[in-house]
Amino acid sequence: MSDEVFRGNFTQQEPIPEEAIEAAVAVMRSGRLHRYNVLPDEVGEVALLEEEFAAYTGAKYALAVASGGYALGCALRAVGVDTGDAVLTNAFTLAPVPGAIASVGARPIFVGVTDGLVIDLDDLQVKISESGARVLMLSHMRGHIVDMDALMYICNGAGVTVIEDCAHTMGATWDGVPSGRYGAVACYSTQTYKHINSGEGGLLVTDDDEVAVRAIMLSGSYMLYGAHTARPPVEVFEKVKYDTPNISGRMDHLRAAILRVQLRQLATQVDNWNARYRVVEEGLRDVAGLTLIERPQQEGFVGSSIQFLLLDWSDAQIEAVVSRCKARGVELKWFGAPEPVAFTSRYDSWRYADPQPLPESDSVLRAIVDMRLPLTFTLEDCALLARIIRDEVLRAGD
Ligand SMILES: *Cc1c(COP(=O)(O)O)cnc(C)c1O
């Protein structure tokens, strides 16, 4: 075994493209940063981003907001979730998802995860009937997309409204359909570690008139909703404008300006991510004790991170892999860690939710090892990452 060390930085994204920097400078020179601060004949960067994102996803309506988490909370309110309601969601997800459910005073009901890292559809059926929940906040966690036709069949049959958390699937598809187009609403994040980067930011899409107008009002449009261009006709707003609270969470022109440029480059970036993913995946094939996640044919994923399983390994063995990889510069996240670490936590660490044992999911969750693949890594870097992980898995598994 060699002692190669990796020297890249797992949280280093690419610079913002020069064209986007110029667009941002133009916004700053104008002094008009607020989305409703536009000249009489000006549409503004935020509304243009909404139009372009609606066109990109094929949705009728789009709304840009302050963060992905804000979009999730806004979507829950817009579909009518109320205090005390049960809302189904994935046990395998990140903290802002159950957090959005808690933010509207609702109760997260966790649904198990399969060894393909998607929501367990059998458990979903059980939890729908046990909880009586009418809403599922479906998280495409780490970009793994469940069989959407099967999921929608279950949810439509049970009268369950689906909100899709597409924080890790912007640019991805299921069976050729852009991720976020199966549910009633979909939410995306433009936070630095996602697929387009404005520091913080979020987008929401829907085809539903009522949901769109409520979301726009909720986001803090005052009575300026007419300035939106990816919206239902103004008459629809008349019905809800007096009873929809303003829960301020708008996006500004500065962030929209840099996102518009990145959205145009997203397809190329997706190819760049997937090239890196495939190099790491190839390098980890046929490593004894390590299980790769085979991606379904219908899934057009974005390989901005990669996961593998160390099934039935002891905590000490997994910890050894993680710490030895770290010593060689490779940052792995272990979803089984008993204490929440950095961005990673698991469903039993969200103690504001009712305790919900999920023994079958626990054996999968405690086996999940996760690694980011920022585009600042070269293909050679990715081959090196795989060699180091392979070495350390073989060594700890001996
Ligand atoms: C990042 C993330 C969010 C929330 O997005 P923010 O823009 O950070 O609020 C929601 N769900 C998942 C799975 C995420 O990774």
Side-chain angles (χ1 to χ4, degrees):
M1 277 180 198
S2 81
D3 288 300
E4 291 178 298
V5 172
F6 179 66
R7 308 213 176 271
N9 178 346
F10 282 81
T11 54
Q12 182 61 58
Q13 304 294 54
E14 291 179 299
I16 298 300
E18 285 304 319
E19 191 190 343
I21 293 173
E22 279 167 31
V25 170
V27 169
M28 288 190 281
R29 292 220 160 95
S30 78
R32 297 185 301 279
L33 273 67
H34 190 281
R35 72 164 296 163
Y36 300 120
N37 187 196
V38 289
L39 298 174
D41 55 357
E42 193 182 24
V43 178
E45 295 285 346
V46 181
L48 288 169
L49 171 67
E50 290 166 345
E51 281 179 33
E52 289 160 5
F53 197 68
Y56 176 79
T57 54
K60 274 170 88 173
Y61 311 122
L63 172 68
V65 293
S67 74
Y70 181 89
L72 293 171
C74 182
L76 287 164
R77 287 191 168 92
V79 303
V81 172
D82 216 336
T83 315
D85 288 356
V87 175
L88 300 152
T89 194
N90 305 57
F92 176 47
T93 187
L94 290 178
V97 179
I101 297 170
S103 80
V104 300
R107 295 178 292 122
I109 307 287
F110 297 115
V111 183
V113 62
T114 69
D115 57 10
L117 302 191
V118 295
I119 196 163
D120 180 338
L121 295 179
D122 295 329
D123 194 39
L124 175 62
Q125 283 174 296
V126 171
K127 295 289 160 64
I128 289 174
S129 51
E130 277 179 8
S131 68
R134 285 287 153 265
V135 174
L136 165 65
M137 180 162 272
L138 173 68
S139 186
H140 302 297
M141 178 61 176
R142 287 297 187 257
H144 295 277
I145 305 179
V146 70
D147 180 335
M148 289 304 295
D149 301 299
L151 178 124
M152 291 312 297
Y153 181 79
I154 293 169
C155 291
N156 289 338
V160 169
T161 300
V162 178
I163 298 171
E164 296 185 64
D165 165 26
C166 300
H168 302 164
T169 56
M170 185 190 285
T173 54
W174 178 262
D175 213 6
V177 177
S179 184
R181 299 297 296 130
Y182 285 85
V185 198
C187 302
Y188 305 78
S189 169
T190 64
Q191 188 237 78
T192 292
Y193 302 115
K194 312 300 164 81
H195 298 168
I196 54 178
N197 174 10
S198 60
E200 302 285 357
L203 287 149
L204 176 158
V205 301
T206 183
D207 286 349
D208 186 293
D209 281 22
E210 193 108 339
V211 169
V213 298
R214 286 196 188 280
I216 291 169
M217 296 297 304
L218 284 162
S219 75
S221 63
Y222 302 89
M223 295 301 154
L224 298 165
Y225 48 78
H228 289 242
T229 47
R231 59 151 170 84
V234 285
E235 303 81 73
V236 191
F237 289 81
E238 298 295 328
K239 291 195 268 181
V240 305
K241 70 180 189 184
Y242 299 110
D243 63 12
T244 307
N246 175 328
I247 303 176
S248 196
R250 292 171 303 272
M251 182 176 278
D252 57 86
H253 290 320
L254 198 48
R255 286 187 278 171
I258 68 173
L259 290 173
R260 290 181 63 210
V261 174
Q262 294 176 66
L263 186 60
R264 292 198 284 275
Q265 300 173 354
L266 181 55
T268 310
Q269 299 294 73
V270 170
D271 291 343
N272 293 338
W273 263 304
N274 290 348
R276 284 157 180 74
Y277 183 98
R278 292 301 186 192
V279 169
V280 177
E281 184 185 45
E282 272 320 299
L284 295 181
R285 272 203 196 285
D286 306 318
V287 177
L290 182 153
T291 307
L292 285 169
I293 312 296
E294 296 305 335
R295 312 297 301 238
Q297 243 228 305
Q298 300 97 310
E299 188 191 37
F301 64 95
V302 183
S304 52
S305 68
I306 188 164
Q307 295 71 43
F308 58 84
L309 304 178
L310 297 176
L311 286 165
D312 304 321
W313 284 46
S314 70
D315 285 9
Q317 278 178 304
I318 300 179
E319 274 162 6
V321 172
V322 172
S323 66
R324 284 177 185 155
C325 282
K326 184 152 192 234
R328 295 175 64 180
V330 180
E331 266 179 50
L332 302 177
K333 304 267 161 57
W334 177 35
F335 274 86
E339 273 301 308
V341 182
F343 289 110
T344 311
S345 54
R346 57 185 202 197
Y347 72 92
D348 56 354
S349 37
W350 304 320
R351 293 187 199 160
Y352 50 84
D354 296 333
Q356 305 170 40
L358 291 165
E360 281 170 43
S361 295
D362 287 343
S363 60
V364 176
L365 283 168
R366 60 175 300 286
I368 302 175
V369 180
D370 170 56
M371 181 171 71
R372 273 199 183 119
L373 290 173
L375 290 176
T376 49
F377 292 0
T378 63
L379 297 178
E380 292 70 35
D381 289 340
C382 292
L384 171 59
L385 290 170
R387 285 198 299 278
I388 294 173
I389 296 170
R390 170 188 282 265
D391 274 6
E392 296 304 340
V393 166
L394 291 174
R395 189 193 307 228
D398 255 355

